[in-house]
Amino acid sequence: MIALACDHTGIALKQEIMSLLDELGLEWEDFGTNEPVSCDYAVYGYRAAKAVADGRCDRGILICGTGVGIGIAASKVPGTRVCTCSDVYTAELSKRHNNSNILTMGARVVGVDLAKMIARHWLTAPFEGGRHQRRIDQIAAIERGEAL
Ligand code: RB5
């Protein structure tokens, strides 16, 4: 299950991502917004990120104007590994090496076709484990307040 969320700037792109997920046969849950009026990205980013952190959703794709604000908000939810991307290489490696579980993009930064390509690579790339798992474990320790 893929959690989706956006602010008012990302509604159209979120709909394109829904179509991509349908095409890939992946289920999604929409955490809003769907109202084209100015709103606060933290609210929707939080709701989707919490669903991922709680295990109700496997991963999330979140959209705001730049991808930054909603990404910062989502990253405050413990258990998330957020990647804000505007290129395919970073998106794919964020999965292969960092096992990112939330992708954020900027609807005012990337075009629809690039955003869908980024999402497709991110959704299909495997996590490589091994030394990368050790590093993710270190990140989790930081999150628990432990010193490295
Ligand atoms: C909204 O104008 C804009 O600030 C928001 O979508 C996002 O880009 C913030 O990071």
Side-chain angles (χ1 to χ4, degrees):
M1 181 69 72
I2 310 296
L4 297 176
C6 65
D7 70 1
H8 54 288
T9 70
I11 295 170
L13 181 55
K14 184 175 69 177
Q15 289 167 349
E16 296 283 351
I17 298 298
M18 288 170 176
S19 301
L20 172 68
L21 295 174
D22 289 342
E23 187 188 312
L24 294 173
L26 295 171
E27 291 186 315
W28 47 265
E29 183 174 348
D30 182 15
F31 290 84
T33 185
N34 289 293
E35 301 296 326
V37 290
S38 183
C39 67
D40 300 328
Y41 52 77
V43 173
Y44 303 98
Y46 168 76
R47 291 175 186 171
K50 191 79 171 71
V52 172
D54 289 351
R56 286 179 286 133
C57 291
D58 306 301
R59 285 173 280 174
I61 299 178
L62 318 183
I63 300 162
C64 67
T66 59
V68 173
I70 206 162
I72 293 173
S75 70
K76 298 300 180 188
V77 178
T80 59
R81 290 179 299 280
V82 179
C83 179
T84 299
C85 277
S86 52
D87 71 277
V88 169
Y89 180 83
T90 305
E92 180 160 339
L93 269 289
S94 82
K95 190 73 180 309
R96 288 183 176 277
H97 289 188
N98 315 114
N99 203 15
S100 59
N101 54 11
I102 292 186
L103 168 68
T104 78
M105 294 186 284
R108 293 172 173 165
V109 178
V110 291
V112 170
D113 287 354
L114 176 57
K116 290 174 83 170
M117 192 179 289
I118 288 169
R120 185 186 289 269
H121 278 254
W122 184 75
L123 288 161
T124 55
F127 173 52
E128 293 177 5
R131 69 186 186 283
H132 302 299
Q133 182 59 55
R134 182 177 70 246
R135 293 161 185 168
I136 288 170
D137 291 344
Q138 290 168 342
I139 292 170
I142 295 169
E143 197 170 64
R144 293 192 299 269
E146 297 171 17
L148 297 183

